[in-house]
Amino acid sequence: FLYESPLTVAISYNNQGKAQTMRWLLRSINESKRAELVKITKDRDFDGDRPIHKYSKGDTIPLNTQVIWYVRQGLVKLTTLGETSEEVLVGLAVPGMVFGSYLTSLHTYQATAISDVRLVAIDVSEILASPALSHAFLPKINQRLQQTESFLVISGLRRVQDRLYGLLQLLKREIGEKVA
């Protein structure tokens, strides 16, 4: 991995595969590294000079295992297929969120524009090569993970009315807008 972490731990093993020693390396992060890690904090930094891809409501968004999509505008429905080939909702990507087949282990994974969307494609190799970009993506990936866990909790509720209420609360929190 190309990111130079301030803390590295290495374990050495004997011939039988049993851990023998653990070595710790602690580095100081100088101000230039700290500035680089903080540099990508605003949405425009994800765009850079990358083209914006536009999809209309109902369009299927093409997925590539080496690309992560960043949502600039709109709403994207993320689904998979259940045992009986029914569509199963696994997430909603809102502005500021990321998605892509690189971020899932599902064999069938589809992204569909629920509204007109504007997306930025970022190559996985670029993220892996840039400590600042990797650092900026962590909270966005965490946001998707938390949403997925919320969907799991909701799907585990026994009563239909409880599942519906939970889903409505999630939608309110994720995509709701305050109105007068």
Side-chain angles (χ1 to χ4, degrees), residues 100-116:
S101 54
Y102 180 81
L103 301 174
T104 184
S105 63
L106 297 172
H107 295 293
T108 305
Y109 187 70
Q110 185 172 343
T112 308
I114 292 181
S115 65
D116 292 343

Side-chain angles (χ1 to χ4, degrees), residues 77-92 106 108-112 144 148 151-152 155 167:
K77 176 176 71 171
L78 307 171
T79 59
T80 189
L81 292 179
E83 290 177 3
T84 57
S85 297
E86 78 279 3
E87 186 178 73
V88 177
L89 181 66
V90 294
L92 294 168
L106 297 172
T108 305
Y109 187 70
Q110 185 172 343
T112 308
R144 280 280 308 119
T148 301
F151 273 111
L152 283 171
S155 70
L167 179 62

Side-chain angles (χ1 to χ4, degrees), residues 50-98:
R50 295 179 185 90
I52 292 182
H53 300 265
K54 297 177 183 180
Y55 295 94
S56 299
K57 180 179 179 179
D59 287 351
T60 299
I61 298 163
L63 298 175
N64 175 332
T65 57
Q66 294 305 306
V67 170
I68 294 178
W69 288 106
Y70 174 73
V71 181
R72 291 288 294 135
Q73 178 184 323
L75 183 63
V76 178
K77 176 176 71 171
L78 307 171
T79 59
T80 189
L81 292 179
E83 290 177 3
T84 57
S85 297
E86 78 279 3
E87 186 178 73
V88 177
L89 181 66
V90 294
L92 294 168
V94 299
M97 202 176 267
V98 295

Side-chain angles (χ1 to χ4, degrees), residues 26 44 47 81 133 138 159 161 168:
L26 186 60
R44 70 177 185 274
D47 296 354
L81 292 179
L133 199 53
L138 186 59
R159 297 178 350 156
Q161 58 262 42
L168 292 174

